[in-house]
Amino acid sequence: MDKFVEENEVFEKYSIIKREQYADFLTNFLNQQAENGYVLNLNAEWGAGKTTFLKCWYNKLKANHPVVYFDAWKTDFTHDAMTALMDSFHAQLANPISGNKALIRDFYEKGMHFIKVAVPSLAVGYLKHKSGMQDDESLLQDITDTFGINVTEDSCSDALKETLKAALEQRKKVEGIHDFKKALEKIAGEYIKVTNENFPIYIFIDELDRCRPNYAIEVIENVKHFFNTKNFVFVIATDTKQLQHSIKAIYGYQFDSNIYLSRFFNQSVTLPQPKLIEFILSKYQFKLDTSFPTDKNIINDTLIAKLITKIFKYHNINSLREIDKILISLDSCGKSADKELNILSLLTLLILRNFHPKIYNKFKNQKLIPYRGINASVTNELASPVYNQHTVEKLSLDCITIHSLSFENFIHISLSEIINSSKNNYRTMDEYAILNTPNHNIHIVYSGLIANIVFNNSKEQAVFDDYINLVDLHFIE
């Protein structure tokens, strides 16, 4: 049997994210709700770890429950969600009971009425092959039996034939929903009997974020109308805000997408986000040889992770997927360079290069820093797209008791350091001895801090062009 989810995707592999307890909570809750069917919307923004969570949960559930994993993105090209869903059920539920051909045939026969009218004949043939149906079913005989009209090939014009066919299909769809769900329940019951697993059956639907808007909506509509039946639990992972935009794109921007979605989900929950600082600490352990005052253990992994976290938050970057990509690039820059690099300055440039390329290019070509300096009274023309002072608190350190600093000022200092990198050597400055006096130069202090959080300590100091070359080389497509 094919592996639909990698077996090594387990919660223990992602212990820092701490989501196993939440999966257990959802399992206990959903097991109690499943008697009449249940559809749960698992909301999280793109890149927040929905796929990883579902795969780990899948592998934990499968020891006791049947689980189907449906990757919507892989079937987006088919333009027919119903066919894709039916085939997924066949592949993951029907295989263990493949000997019961009558049951499988019944499932496909009941579902044939809901396949798109425009579905290619090749796809129809595929479904008939799966179900064992014959190819010579008589449309005219169906019309005669259903409507009580004696219709023959000679007496039926093409127009009348198409009209009667449409009416027949509509009646079969209305009457067939109940029959289809019953066929689905029979397959579920037989599966439980053969495998000795337990109800409910869990269906995870993933990667809707990546699908065409109309296909994503079609998947959800098909689930609710045709597959939501007793002892089936659907967990549909969505970026709900983005999905609402997709619905408006299809049905019009005045359409109330929130109310519309509420009709399809019994409940919506938001996947808890791990603490970003813990996620960053799990990725990096910095080994530093620093001459910054260490009597109070000022520079350590926790401080660096705290500063990196603030930089991401300042730039409104919350997606774990995007953060991970940037951190991988940051690590790669450090490993590929043979010069000393300021980590915080390099991180800021990677963010600008990937999320604000126009601003980055102005810094690259004109050395214009897109953040306010300590003495700036107004935001310069570059600052507004990345300006976020209200969501990031002022920066203060235990060792500097007199002053705190606007975080935008701190980022400004980090970029000014690489512009002037060949001129300064803060490690030897006497100002460190007077950190807690009221007249010290706060700019010097924080510059010294930045200059001591580095890759490749004690090597030749990188200059402006070195940073630019590295950042351009590690641009994330």
Side-chain angles (χ1 to χ4, degrees):
M1 183 176 176
D2 293 336
K3 300 297 182 184
F4 298 97
V5 172
E6 304 88 340
E7 291 183 345
N8 66 345
E9 289 295 291
V10 293
F11 285 113
E12 291 79 6
K13 183 178 175 182
Y14 305 97
S15 58
I16 192 65
I17 299 179
K18 299 177 181 177
R19 283 174 169 168
E20 184 172 10
Q21 185 177 358
Y22 189 64
D24 293 341
F25 165 78
L26 289 179
T27 300
N28 291 333
F29 171 76
L30 292 169
N31 284 348
Q32 302 301 316
Q33 307 297 321
E35 184 177 357
N36 296 312
Y38 203 83
V39 181
L40 179 74
N41 174 31
L42 181 67
N43 171 50
E45 67 178 14
W46 184 87
K50 296 189 294 295
T51 294
T52 298
F53 177 77
L54 286 182
K55 288 184 175 181
C56 292
W57 191 12
Y58 174 103
N59 281 324
K60 185 165 187 178
L61 276 173
K62 69 179 183 180
N64 297 305
H65 295 277
V67 193
V68 173
Y69 180 81
F70 179 74
D71 185 337
W73 168 245
K74 288 184 178 179
T75 60
D76 178 87
F77 72 94
T78 65
H79 298 274
D80 183 18
M82 186 66 179
T83 303
L85 285 164
M86 288 177 66
D87 189 53
S88 183
F89 273 68
H90 178 270
Q92 299 181 57
L93 283 184
N95 273 347
I97 56 171
S98 56
N100 195 333
K101 296 188 180 301
L103 192 62
I104 296 172
R105 171 176 172 162
D106 187 50
F107 169 69
Y108 274 106
E109 283 182 334
K110 297 299 191 296
M112 282 293 293
H113 305 307
F114 310 113
I115 304 300
K116 283 187 176 179
V117 174
V119 69
S121 58
L122 180 63
V124 174
Y126 168 76
L127 290 176
K128 289 181 177 180
H129 168 71
K130 286 283 189 180
S131 63
M133 292 165 56
Q134 299 298 314
D135 290 330
D136 58 353
E137 291 178 309
S138 171
L139 170 64
L140 295 180
Q141 186 61 50
D142 281 349
I143 292 172
T144 298
D145 293 342
T146 301
F147 296 109
I149 302 173
N150 187 17
V151 178
T152 65
E153 185 71 32
D154 295 336
S155 66
C156 186
S157 68
D158 289 342
L160 177 59
K161 189 187 298 183
E162 287 303 313
T163 300
L164 291 173
K165 179 182 177 181
L168 176 65
E169 286 298 318
Q170 180 61 28
R171 179 171 294 190
K172 284 185 175 181
K173 285 181 179 180
V174 173
E175 295 174 349
I177 292 176
H178 173 77
D179 293 339
F180 178 77
K181 288 185 176 183
K182 287 299 179 183
L184 194 59
E185 290 171 16
K186 288 179 182 178
I187 284 184
E190 186 68 15
Y191 184 97
I192 293 294
K193 187 187 300 182
V194 170
T195 62
N196 292 316
E197 294 177 3
N198 303 308
F199 282 125
I201 293 176
Y202 281 83
I203 316 295
F204 291 164
I205 295 185
D206 194 16
E207 299 287 16
L208 283 178
D209 299 352
R210 303 175 66 184
C211 295
R212 291 174 290 108
N214 58 327
Y215 187 76
I217 294 166
E218 187 180 333
V219 168
I220 294 173
E221 290 177 339
N222 275 275
V223 165
K224 188 64 176 178
H225 291 312
F226 306 122
F227 291 88
N228 182 29
T229 189
K230 64 181 295 186
N231 291 321
F232 278 82
V233 168
F234 284 84
V235 179
I236 303 179
T238 72
D239 178 344
T240 303
K241 285 186 178 179
Q242 185 58 47
L243 183 60
Q244 288 173 345
H245 289 309
S246 296
I247 291 169
K248 288 179 180 290
I250 300 298
Y251 293 113
Y253 286 93
Q254 301 302 316
F255 189 78
D256 193 328
S257 56
N258 186 46
I259 292 178
Y260 178 78
L261 278 180
S262 69
R263 297 170 182 169
F264 296 100
F265 302 130
N266 296 99
Q267 182 66 274
S268 292
V269 296
T270 298
L271 187 64
Q273 276 280 67
K275 291 182 179 179
L276 183 53
I277 189 169
E278 293 180 355
F279 178 76
I280 292 170
L281 279 170
S282 73
K283 292 286 183 180
Y284 291 97
Q285 296 294 316
F286 296 97
K287 304 301 180 184
L288 301 169
D289 177 19
T290 174
S291 60
F292 200 80
T294 57
D295 57 317
K296 294 185 179 181
N297 195 26
I298 297 167
I299 299 182
N300 52 40
D301 287 347
T302 301
L303 171 64
I304 298 171
K306 177 182 178 182
L307 294 172
I308 289 174
T309 298
K310 285 178 174 288
I311 290 174
F312 280 119
K313 285 185 176 179
Y314 182 90
H315 293 90
N316 286 319
I317 302 172
N318 301 305
S319 164
L320 293 184
R321 187 177 298 178
E322 295 297 340
I323 289 171
D324 195 42
K325 287 180 181 179
I326 293 291
L327 291 179
I328 290 171
S329 291
L330 178 68
D331 185 57
S332 179
C333 285
K335 289 178 178 177
S336 62
D338 59 354
K339 294 183 179 180
E340 182 180 279
L341 298 161
N342 291 350
I343 291 173
L344 303 180
S345 308
L346 184 60
L347 173 63
T348 302
L349 286 181
L350 286 168
I351 289 172
L352 290 179
R353 177 69 178 88
N354 285 280
F355 293 94
H356 305 282
K358 291 182 180 179
I359 292 175
Y360 170 79
N361 284 330
K362 286 193 175 183
F363 177 79
K364 172 183 174 179
N365 298 322
Q366 304 173 45
K367 297 186 177 179
L368 293 177
I369 298 176
Y371 309 95
R372 292 187 297 184
I374 291 176
N375 299 318
S377 58
V378 295
T379 305
N380 67 47
E381 62 174 337
L382 291 178
S384 56
V386 296
Y387 188 50
N388 194 22
Q389 72 167 16
H390 299 298
T391 61
V392 177
E393 64 274 15
K394 286 189 174 183
L395 180 64
S396 60
L397 302 176
D398 293 340
C399 62
I400 305 173
T401 59
I402 304 301
H403 292 284
S404 62
L405 184 70
S406 160
F407 199 71
E408 184 181 18
N409 298 159
F410 180 78
I411 302 176
H412 181 279
I413 292 172
S414 75
L415 292 191
S416 67
E417 285 306 297
I418 65 175
I419 293 175
N420 304 308
S421 55
S422 61
K423 300 178 182 179
N424 298 323
N425 185 358
Y426 293 104
R427 289 182 180 77
T428 62
M429 300 196 67
D430 294 334
E431 280 82 356
Y432 291 144
I434 54 171
L435 288 178
N436 292 318
T437 61
N439 60 349
H440 72 273
N441 187 325
I442 193 69
H443 184 283
I444 296 284
V445 173
Y446 282 104
S447 295
L449 175 66
I450 292 166
N452 275 272
I453 299 176
V454 296
F455 288 125
N456 309 320
N457 189 37
S458 301
K459 289 191 176 182
E460 178 186 354
Q461 192 175 12
V463 297
F464 181 85
D465 287 344
D466 296 321
Y467 284 92
I468 296 301
N469 290 337
L470 271 174
V471 170
D472 285 346
L473 182 64
H474 290 83
F475 173 61
I476 304 169
E477 294 292 348

